[in-house]
Amino acid sequence: IVDDEPSIVETLRILLKTEGFATHTAVGGRAGLEMLDAVAPDLVVSDVRMPGVDGLQLLAAARAQDPTLPVVLMTAQATLQSAIQA
């Protein structure tokens, strides 16, 4: 789980843990990139808009590491342009 808002990260961690998932969390895109290198995740859930390293850059890094890795991008400010980019 990667988001620049700690409260969102914690909320998603609790929800997924309640459903039986083991989670790793990172606050911010740069920390998310580091987590990708340290952990071989089964799924990445990330915010699109984050300062520094954004969700699209995280998506590109995840795809470079494992082209079959599922990545879920979420945002409260979606546009058609950002959806097409993703």
Side-chain angles (χ1 to χ4, degrees), residues 11-47:
T11 299
L12 289 172
R13 185 193 69 76
I14 291 168
L15 287 170
L16 291 171
K17 184 178 178 187
T18 300
E19 293 298 320
F21 293 95
T23 60
H24 299 277
T25 62
V27 177
R30 194 164 315 282
L33 288 177
E34 292 171 6
M35 186 67 66
L36 273 177
D37 289 337
V39 177
D42 296 321
L43 169 71
V44 175
V45 177
S46 176
D47 189 10

Side-chain angles (χ1 to χ4, degrees), residues 46-74:
S46 176
D47 189 10
V48 172
R49 291 193 175 181
M50 297 180 285
V53 176
D54 66 19
L56 296 177
Q57 291 168 304
L58 190 64
L59 171 62
R63 287 286 181 257
Q65 190 176 70
D66 178 358
T68 65
L69 178 63
V71 177
V72 176
L73 296 175
M74 57 186 181

